[in-house]
């Protein structure tokens, strides 16, 4: 029987904590201490641990430090699993363990442990994901800038009575405002300029995403997801960039749980008396799904802009998109007729959208590649 040495890592910005367990051991895990988080220290650790001619298997939890340690360890010929943090913490809670991550990861892997499948060599996908995350940050800047301006206007009793905020009529109304004191006028104009600058920055980031999209190897999946009502180009990019390989989920419920739209977290869908899940939705795709879910309050139809976008897609993909429209529009009306809160209805629709998204993405990603 081959002997394997399992090495658990707890990675931080400056230091890495290390624990080791031998294969076949059911007892304690040995804590080796800390090393510096740099390439030389990691190489020396590998040399020290493999002196006994045992195969090394590393494991650590995905975090803000990225996948640099994983790439170095695999380049040295070792196996390294990067565990999704939410799933790994759930496993620890179910088992009743209360120990540092380094010790938990050093134990021989359980069959239910799921590895973060987005790990790999530096790729176009990782680069696109970074750009999508930048867009999310800039959108938050836009939202905060708008809130600051509206808070200023509210303090001074300036209210726009008609229409929706930030449409053309609202912006024209802003251009007519004036304040008596020079300091107030300066503050008002600075708030307006902050909104304009943030919106311009967001537009530039989205233009960069669109310019790089034709070279992205996930472009076919992005195109296919637009067969779904409520999912336009940018939202499709957000979903694909976050998930990557949809086929790593064996069924749509696993993808729903990944997004936070599990059965237990949905008040409409879960059985009476079931506890709600404490884990929130994944921020970026979660908001994209909620935005898209509002579109199903209308009757099923394929608009002209959607026809132009999906006419080149495979028939099986178009059929899934239409099936989603018929089902989700009907469900939206039924839930609303029951008197459910609009936000609860949208959450239920967003959860079911994930199932159709999984079906479309897996159809495209599992299709044979053209020679």
């Amino acid at each position: 029987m081959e002997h394997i040495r399992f090495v658990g890592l707890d990675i931080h910005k400056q230091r890495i904590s290390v624990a080791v367990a031998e294969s076949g051991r059911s007892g304690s895990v040995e804590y080796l201490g800390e090393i510096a988080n740099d390439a030389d220290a990691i190489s020396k650790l590998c040399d020290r641990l493999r002196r006994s001619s045992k195969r090394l298997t590393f494991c650590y939890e995905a975090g803000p430090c990225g996948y640099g340690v994983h790439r170095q360890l695999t380049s040295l010929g070792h196996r390294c699993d990067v565990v999704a943090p939410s799933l790994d913490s759930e496993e620890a809670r179910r088992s009743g363990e209360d120990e540092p991550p380094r010790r938990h990861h050093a134990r021989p892997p359980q069959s239910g442990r799921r590895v973060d499948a987005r790990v790999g060599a530096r790729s176009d996908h990782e680069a696109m994901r970074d750009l999508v995350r930048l867009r999310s940050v800039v959108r938050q800047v836009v939202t905060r800038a708008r809130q600051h301006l509206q808070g200023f206007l509210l303090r001074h009793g300036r209210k726009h009575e008609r229409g929706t905020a930030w449409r053309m009529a609202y912006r024209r109304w802003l251009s007519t405002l004036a304040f008596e004191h020079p300091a107030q006028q300066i503050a008002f104009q600075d708030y307006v300029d902050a909104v304009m600058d943030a919106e311009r920055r967001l537009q530039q980031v989205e233009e960069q995403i669109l310019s790089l999209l034709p070279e992205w190897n996930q472009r076919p999946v992005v195109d296919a997801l637009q067969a779904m009502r409520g999912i336009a180009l940018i939202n499709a990019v957000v979903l694909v960039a976050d998930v990557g390989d949809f086929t790593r989920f064996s069924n749509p419920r696993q993808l729903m749980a990944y997004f936070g739209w599990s059965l237990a977290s949905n008040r409409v869908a879960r059985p009476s008396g079931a506890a709600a899940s404490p884990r929130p939705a994944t921020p970026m795709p979660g908001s994209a799904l909620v935005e898209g879910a509002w579109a199903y309050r209308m009757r099923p139809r394929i608009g002209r802009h959607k026809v132009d976008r999906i006419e080149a897609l495979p028939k099986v993909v178009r059929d899934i998109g239409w099936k989603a429209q018929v089902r989700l529009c009907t469900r939206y009306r039924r839930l609303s007729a029951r008197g459910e809160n609009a936000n609860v209805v949208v959450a239920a629709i967003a959860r079911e959208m994930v199932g159709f998204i999984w079906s479309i993405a897996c159809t495209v990603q599992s299709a044979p590649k053209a020679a």
Side-chain angles (χ1 to χ4, degrees):
M1 178 180 177
E2 182 184 14
H3 290 282
I4 302 174
R5 177 170 286 176
F6 297 97
V7 185
L9 306 176
D10 190 9
I11 299 178
H12 299 276
K13 182 179 178 180
Q14 302 293 343
R15 310 291 295 177
I16 300 177
S17 299
V18 184
V20 176
E22 305 291 341
S23 59
R25 289 176 56 186
S26 58
S28 62
V29 178
E30 181 183 1
Y31 174 53
L32 299 185
E34 294 184 345
I35 63 172
N37 188 356
D38 61 57
D40 291 339
I42 293 172
S43 296
K44 292 178 181 178
L45 173 69
C46 294
D47 291 339
R48 183 173 53 146
L49 293 178
R50 66 184 175 190
R51 287 174 184 171
S52 59
S53 301
K54 294 180 180 178
R55 187 160 63 90
L56 300 180
T57 295
F58 292 84
C59 183
Y60 68 90
E61 185 178 85
C65 295
Y67 303 125
V69 173
H70 172 274
R71 295 192 182 98
Q72 181 181 358
L73 292 173
T74 52
S75 68
L76 294 174
H78 305 297
R79 174 179 172 177
C80 181
D81 294 336
V82 181
V83 181
S86 60
L87 296 168
D88 193 54
S89 60
E90 282 186 359
E91 178 186 329
R93 283 197 300 270
R94 284 195 301 267
S95 63
E97 295 180 1
D98 184 15
E99 58 183 350
R102 59 178 179 268
R103 296 181 180 272
H104 178 58
H105 298 324
R107 297 189 184 280
Q110 305 297 320
S111 59
R113 173 176 285 177
R114 184 179 299 165
V115 176
D116 190 342
R118 295 175 296 177
V119 185
R122 295 186 186 275
S123 63
D124 293 342
H125 181 82
E126 184 177 350
M128 183 63 78
R129 189 166 67 242
D130 287 335
L131 193 56
V132 168
R133 286 174 176 172
L134 171 62
R135 175 184 174 270
S136 177
V137 171
V138 176
R139 284 193 67 187
Q140 294 175 17
V141 174
V142 172
T143 299
R144 285 197 297 269
R146 289 175 173 179
Q147 290 172 342
H148 292 162
L149 174 57
Q150 290 177 320
F152 174 84
L153 296 176
L154 184 61
R155 290 196 302 273
H156 293 279
R158 305 299 178 92
K159 300 178 182 179
H160 186 248
E161 302 296 343
R162 296 182 179 179
T164 305
W166 306 110
R167 299 285 179 88
M168 187 59 67
Y170 184 84
R171 295 174 187 274
R172 290 198 187 101
W173 173 74
L174 287 177
S175 67
T176 65
L177 298 181
F179 296 85
E180 294 182 2
H181 198 285
Q184 293 174 336
Q185 189 65 38
I186 291 172
F188 168 71
Q189 192 58 51
D190 196 80
Y191 282 129
V192 172
D193 291 343
V195 172
M196 300 291 288
D197 291 343
E199 291 176 341
R200 192 177 303 112
R201 184 184 172 197
L202 177 62
Q203 181 180 1
Q204 291 173 349
V205 173
E206 291 183 346
E207 289 174 352
Q208 291 295 326
I209 291 175
L210 297 181
S211 67
L212 295 172
L213 187 57
E215 304 173 4
W216 192 24
N217 59 0
Q218 296 293 337
R219 174 63 187 269
V221 187
V222 171
D223 292 339
L225 289 187
Q226 294 176 71
M228 290 281 297
R229 187 177 195 171
I231 298 183
L233 182 59
I234 292 295
N235 280 352
V237 173
V238 169
L239 291 168
V240 177
D242 187 84
V243 177
D245 182 12
F246 285 81
T247 60
R248 65 189 168 110
F249 300 99
S250 58
N251 58 67
R253 291 192 177 185
Q254 290 183 356
L255 182 59
M256 292 174 190
Y258 174 81
F259 283 144
W261 301 111
S262 61
L263 183 65
S265 66
N266 192 292
R267 186 169 72 83
V268 171
R270 71 174 185 263
S272 175
S277 171
R279 189 176 66 232
T282 307
M284 288 187 294
S287 61
L289 289 168
V290 170
E291 290 174 7
W294 285 103
Y296 291 93
R297 67 188 185 277
M298 314 291 189
R299 291 183 178 179
R301 65 182 294 269
I302 300 179
R304 182 66 224 174
H305 69 288
K306 183 69 77 171
V307 171
D308 296 338
R309 192 176 298 157
I310 70 174
E311 61 181 355
L313 297 177
K315 185 177 184 302
V316 62
V317 171
R318 298 198 306 270
D319 289 345
I320 295 173
W322 178 246
K323 180 180 178 182
Q325 274 213 57
V326 173
R327 173 176 172 81
L328 297 181
C329 290
T330 302
R331 181 159 170 76
Y332 194 105
R333 291 196 302 272
R334 288 178 178 174
L335 292 175
S336 298
R338 278 168 41 181
E340 294 285 355
N341 179 274
N343 292 328
V344 174
V345 175
V346 167
I349 299 301
R351 176 185 176 275
E352 289 204 37
M353 282 178 66
V354 177
F356 292 101
I357 290 170
W358 175 85
S359 181
I360 290 175
C362 289
T363 298
V364 175
Q365 291 183 333
S366 62
K369 306 297 182 183

